[in-house]
Amino acid sequence: MTKRDSRKIDMGNKKAPEERDVPKQKKVPKQKEIPKHKKVPPKKKMPGTCVLPGGRFIVGIHRPTFKVNILRKNDFIHTLGTLPDGTPVENSTNFPRDEVEEPCADLIYEIPNPLPFRGVTYINSKWADSKAGRPESIYIHPSPRVSMKSLIDPWIKSLLSCLRENAKLSKNIAENIAENIAIDSAHVRKMHSELIKILPRPLLLALGESSTDPEDLILLASLCCQFLYDETSENNQDDSGADDDGNSCFLKNPRGIQFIMDSHGVPRPAITDHELFEVVANNTHLPDSYKQAMVLVPGIQGSSEITGEWQDNRSHVFEYLRRNSYIPWGHFAANTAHDTVRYAIRQLDDNDMAGMRHLYYQRTYIRVARELQNRGITFPSMPFLQGNSKKRLSLGEIETLRCHIVDILTKNWTDQVTDSGNPFPGLIFNASLWGWNFGFGYAHSGYRLHASHQQIHQQYAMVPAEVEICSDNILSTMPPMDGRYEISQALHGKMPSFSCGDMVGDFVKNYREATGENFFECYIKAVRSNQRVDGKKGLPSPLIVYEDDNVMLFVPKAQTSQWELQLMPIKECGNILAADTAMRNSLDNGILKALQILEKMGARMVTSIEYAGRFDHGNGDERILYSFLPRIPQSPGAFSEAQLRWINGHYPEDFASACRLSMQS
């Protein structure tokens, strides 16, 4: 029987003709319905980092070549000027007639940041090639010396001399008038003061920022406030910079400034120009006695309590509490004290750094310990945890306290119970925050360029694990959430509180899941085995600037600031609770070396930040990471940087070479 006969037999049933003529429809399988709010998990792919598994860097290169058609109708030819021989210079090249062709534009290197959330660095090869192998060319020139006094004093003396000579020659002027036109220092200083007072305000700000002459700065300071001098001084000073007898305020040391009562009955410094006051007070060339009177003596800047202190025969540091801070739950500032004036890194020594960092470690450990105590965890005999001990912890006490906290936090949280038998719920504040804005800058246009004040200080705080959601109405319309935003958190009105170290932790976790390797182990290998971006042989290739048994200071392959440095432990240490005494000393020393190197190279404003993991949980491959980000004069940051596209004009290997050269000097 043929297939055709078989088909006829199969269709030979008793169905109606119209039914038999309808072709049989192919059954379409029913598509599986995806539940609402449920997302299909993506396949794991390699995160966008320049650090490859196994410990190598990957770098991209753009070789631009293109054609551009002309979409312009008109030419606007103008003579722009002339050469010395009179030949006109025109703008005809700006108006091509034919299609524009670029056969070989500058090579651009594209380097993904090791930490993808920090963006991508682009290096223009033409710019970078000009500095390749020339580390001495990577340098910011120091500010020039500026003195209004030295500029105008000769002019004033010349003017007075002319007036005196004219008075002698005039028959209508009494003979003794010529003798009264004195060319002494008091008269000159008085005129100097009067001329500065009539400068337009933008010029006053510019002079306050740039002057290197103490007399200029004292005169500017006297325009902002009224100084009080010791009673032993000959006379009280007016706002001219000299008293009525011409005695100079430059020979006196102020003991304070004039105060007034504000509308709330609180005494406030009687400052007439706050911006100029701040600019002058932050100029390192202002005499120290004036800095102390204006901004350094405790209480002169407000009522912030001093809650800690470090003092030895070489250094003195206060810990200020900022109650109503821009950082939630307040923050602390470790400030070099009024009797330890530190306006430049070259004035800072290892004792100063140890003092500021000691206060950071001490405060953080004490806060964690007290929270654990409040949760029912007992500590061995540690008197400094009881009430106000009013003493600084010794290095041994800090290490003992740290070890005890670590012992508690490394136990299994699900089995951990308090002494009262209740389950331990975890830390409320479980991350540290640390930063340092070094350097002050203020433009005559009124734009602040950096930091809050020049006197060296570091700021720190603690970050909570969660933050309250501000409205319960949101929860009633909130869909189920995945990942870090757990449904249980939403139901209880909480969401995770941000810490920049969390971004590192999330990336490290993703890297391991995608590659099966630990990111920081690969990162350290890549730094150690680095090869130049431009591939040139015979030129320096190391990125490491300094290294000891615990940490390495190095240039990141993809710099976000053009002069960025990074400091990282070479062994596992995710936060300051995981840092023993030796590691803490290495971190402190590395931070100081980074700032010393950058200042020697000309950096005057540097932002330093810490990426740290959470105290009470980790992923097994964490490093506390410090990033040092100088501000570069010609690179204020614009739309490229806002899009995390960091533009660089040198190769990182040449910058590392420049840093090593600076450290040796």
Side-chain angles (χ1 to χ4, degrees):
M1 185 181 293
T2 64
K3 283 186 178 181
R4 184 176 180 85
D5 294 331
S6 174
R7 183 173 57 83
K8 286 183 177 181
I9 292 172
D10 290 339
M11 295 180 66
N13 52 39
K14 296 183 179 180
K15 291 183 180 179
E18 61 272 14
E19 290 180 339
R20 291 198 303 268
D21 293 340
V22 176
K24 200 169 185 179
Q25 297 292 323
K26 189 174 181 181
K27 188 174 181 181
V28 179
K30 187 176 181 182
Q31 193 171 9
K32 189 175 180 181
E33 198 172 283
I34 299 177
K36 199 174 182 182
H37 305 307
K38 186 174 181 180
K39 295 181 179 178
V40 178
K43 294 180 180 179
K44 290 295 180 183
K45 65 176 183 178
M46 174 71 180
T49 174
C50 66
V51 180
L52 293 176
R56 303 288 286 181
F57 287 123
I58 186 172
V59 175
I61 184 169
H62 295 269
R63 306 178 190 272
T65 173
F66 48 84
K67 294 181 179 180
V68 178
N69 58 329
I70 303 301
L71 303 176
R72 182 197 76 251
K73 179 180 179 180
N74 301 309
D75 293 346
F76 299 89
I77 305 301
H78 288 277
T79 298
L80 305 175
T82 61
L83 295 172
D85 63 0
T87 303
V89 177
E90 295 186 339
N91 64 348
S92 55
T93 56
N94 297 101
F95 298 95
R97 294 183 178 181
D98 302 319
E99 184 178 61
V100 175
E101 180 177 1
E102 174 52 64
C104 184
D106 296 342
L107 298 181
I108 304 293
Y109 295 97
E110 178 173 335
I111 311 176
N113 197 279
L115 302 170
F117 59 83
R118 302 188 76 203
V120 176
T121 297
Y122 294 88
I123 300 177
N124 184 298
S125 62
K126 185 176 181 179
W127 304 342
D129 287 344
S130 68
K131 299 180 179 68
R134 299 176 56 239
E136 71 282 355
S137 66
I138 303 176
Y139 185 76
I140 298 174
H141 293 285
S143 299
R145 299 194 65 81
V146 175
S147 171
M148 181 67 79
K149 179 180 183 299
S150 62
L151 177 69
I152 64 177
D153 277 12
W155 177 80
I156 292 173
K157 290 178 181 179
S158 176
L159 175 64
L160 292 176
S161 178
C162 289
L163 291 174
R164 186 172 181 176
E165 291 301 317
N166 288 339
K168 286 181 179 180
L169 295 175
S170 176
K171 298 179 180 180
N172 299 325
I173 300 178
E175 292 181 1
N176 64 341
I177 291 183
E179 301 301 324
N180 291 333
I181 302 179
I183 315 180
D184 56 31
S185 59
H187 202 163
V188 172
R189 186 175 293 114
K190 191 78 173 178
M191 293 187 69
H192 173 205
S193 172
E194 293 300 318
L195 284 172
I196 282 184
K197 286 167 65 176
I198 63 174
L199 288 176
R201 189 168 181 275
L203 295 185
L204 289 175
L205 291 171
L207 184 61
E209 167 74 15
S210 60
S211 178
T212 58
D213 189 324
E215 293 198 27
D216 282 351
L217 296 169
I218 291 174
L219 288 174
L220 289 169
S222 68
L223 299 180
C224 310
C225 63
Q226 183 175 348
F227 291 101
L228 306 176
Y229 295 92
D230 294 332
E231 295 179 359
T232 55
S233 297
E234 296 179 14
N235 294 287
N236 282 329
Q237 177 224 358
D238 62 18
D239 64 359
S240 68
D243 60 32
D244 292 335
D245 296 329
N247 297 313
S248 173
C249 61
F250 315 120
L251 304 178
K252 306 175 184 179
N253 289 323
R255 59 179 174 83
I257 62 176
Q258 188 70 49
F259 274 66
I260 58 172
M261 286 292 187
D262 67 10
S263 58
H264 301 287
V266 178
R268 304 285 186 196
I271 300 171
T272 56
D273 189 328
H274 286 272
E275 287 77 18
L276 183 59
F277 180 96
E278 195 170 9
V279 168
V280 174
N282 283 290
N283 189 314
T284 189
H285 297 280
L286 182 72
D288 286 355
S289 60
Y290 282 84
K291 295 171 188 167
Q292 290 163 339
M294 295 172 75
V295 289
L296 298 186
V297 172
I300 193 64
Q301 293 194 65
S303 58
S304 294
E305 296 91 345
I306 295 175
T307 54
E309 182 183 19
W310 163 285
Q311 187 172 23
D312 61 15
N313 58 353
R314 290 164 49 197
S315 183
H316 193 191
V317 184
F318 287 137
E319 178 190 72
Y320 283 91
L321 169 63
R322 310 298 189 194
R323 290 194 190 195
N324 295 306
S325 167
Y326 52 86
I327 300 173
W329 304 94
H331 78 272
F332 297 87
N335 242 82
T336 46
H338 60 291
D339 53 1
T340 307
V341 180
R342 302 286 189 265
Y343 267 44
I345 299 299
R346 62 182 176 275
Q347 299 169 334
L348 200 66
D349 64 19
D350 53 358
N351 248 37
D352 298 320
M353 178 62 71
M356 288 185 285
R357 294 284 294 180
H358 182 99
L359 295 176
Y360 169 44
Y361 301 132
Q362 173 181 269
R363 180 59 60 189
T364 305
Y365 296 171
I366 287 284
R367 289 186 68 181
V368 174
R370 286 203 161 182
E371 182 182 327
L372 291 172
Q373 281 185 320
N374 293 337
R375 296 299 188 87
I377 302 292
T378 57
F379 280 75
S381 179
M382 295 182 181
F384 49 81
L385 290 179
Q386 312 302 323
N388 279 333
S389 63
K390 293 190 176 180
K391 73 181 256 322
R392 179 182 103 202
L393 272 62
S394 68
L395 294 177
E397 288 172 327
I398 276 192
E399 183 61 9
T400 299
L401 178 59
R402 184 196 72 84
C403 289
H404 194 76
I405 294 172
V406 170
D407 287 343
I408 294 170
L409 297 182
T410 51
K411 292 180 181 178
N412 189 326
W413 287 103
T414 59
D415 297 333
Q416 177 68 43
V417 295
T418 65
D419 293 345
S420 59
N422 298 319
F424 184 74
L427 290 172
I428 296 174
F429 292 88
N430 66 350
S432 62
L433 184 157
W434 178 93
W436 177 9
N437 290 322
F438 164 67
F440 178 90
Y442 199 95
H444 67 277
S445 58
Y447 279 80
R448 180 188 294 278
L449 303 178
H450 199 250
S452 53
H453 52 89
Q454 181 71 36
Q455 175 82 328
I456 288 175
H457 66 292
Q458 299 171 1
Q459 296 166 285
Y460 46 92
M462 291 191 70
V463 179
E466 298 176 327
V467 59
E468 178 185 354
I469 294 175
C470 65
S471 173
D472 290 336
N473 294 332
I474 296 176
L475 298 179
S476 61
T477 59
M478 186 180 293
M481 295 180 288
D482 299 323
R484 293 175 60 196
Y485 292 88
E486 299 292 344
I487 296 174
S488 59
Q489 290 175 316
L491 293 176
H492 290 91
K494 300 283 187 180
M495 67 181 189
S497 185
F498 175 78
S499 172
C500 65
D502 294 341
M503 297 187 291
V504 179
D506 290 345
F507 163 66
V508 167
K509 179 182 177 182
N510 293 338
Y511 190 90
R512 187 190 296 114
E513 291 175 352
T515 67
E517 298 193 29
N518 290 332
F519 167 75
F520 279 107
E521 292 177 3
C522 295
Y523 193 12
I524 291 172
K525 288 179 184 177
V527 171
R528 293 195 188 284
S529 62
N530 178 69
Q531 296 180 6
R532 287 185 63 90
V533 169
D534 58 3
K536 292 179 180 176
K537 305 298 182 182
L539 293 178
S541 61
L543 294 175
I544 298 174
V545 177
Y546 164 82
E547 185 175 6
D548 66 11
D549 293 338
N550 299 298
V551 301
M552 65 162 58
L553 179 67
F554 64 100
V555 176
K557 191 72 170 180
Q559 295 172 289
T560 54
S561 160
Q562 290 184 31
W563 280 23
E564 182 183 10
L565 285 174
Q566 287 184 0
L567 177 70
M568 178 173 65
I570 55 178
K571 56 186 73 172
E572 189 173 321
C573 178
N575 53 61
I576 61 171
L577 266 182
D580 60 15
T581 302
M583 178 63 76
R584 295 195 301 273
N585 289 340
S586 290
L587 289 172
D588 301 349
N589 185 44
I591 292 170
L592 180 58
K593 281 189 180 297
L595 271 292
Q596 287 173 334
I597 289 168
L598 292 171
E599 186 186 62
K600 283 182 182 177
M601 294 173 65
R604 293 188 287 276
M605 292 178 277
V606 183
T607 297
S608 305
I609 58 176
E610 175 189 274
Y611 292 96
R614 299 276 176 172
F615 295 149
D616 52 6
H617 60 271
N619 53 37
D621 176 39
E622 289 189 282
R623 302 285 193 278
I624 187 170
L625 181 68
Y626 291 85
S627 178
F628 307 98
L629 304 164
R631 292 184 67 88
I632 308 301
Q634 303 301 322
S635 301
F639 81 83
S640 289
E641 290 73 18
Q643 295 176 336
L644 302 183
R645 299 167 65 94
W646 309 98
I647 314 302
N648 218 336
H650 58 250
Y651 298 117
E653 296 81 9
D654 293 310
F655 185 75
S657 180
C659 289
R660 290 190 294 271
L661 183 65
S662 172
M663 187 169 62
Q664 292 167 5
S665 66

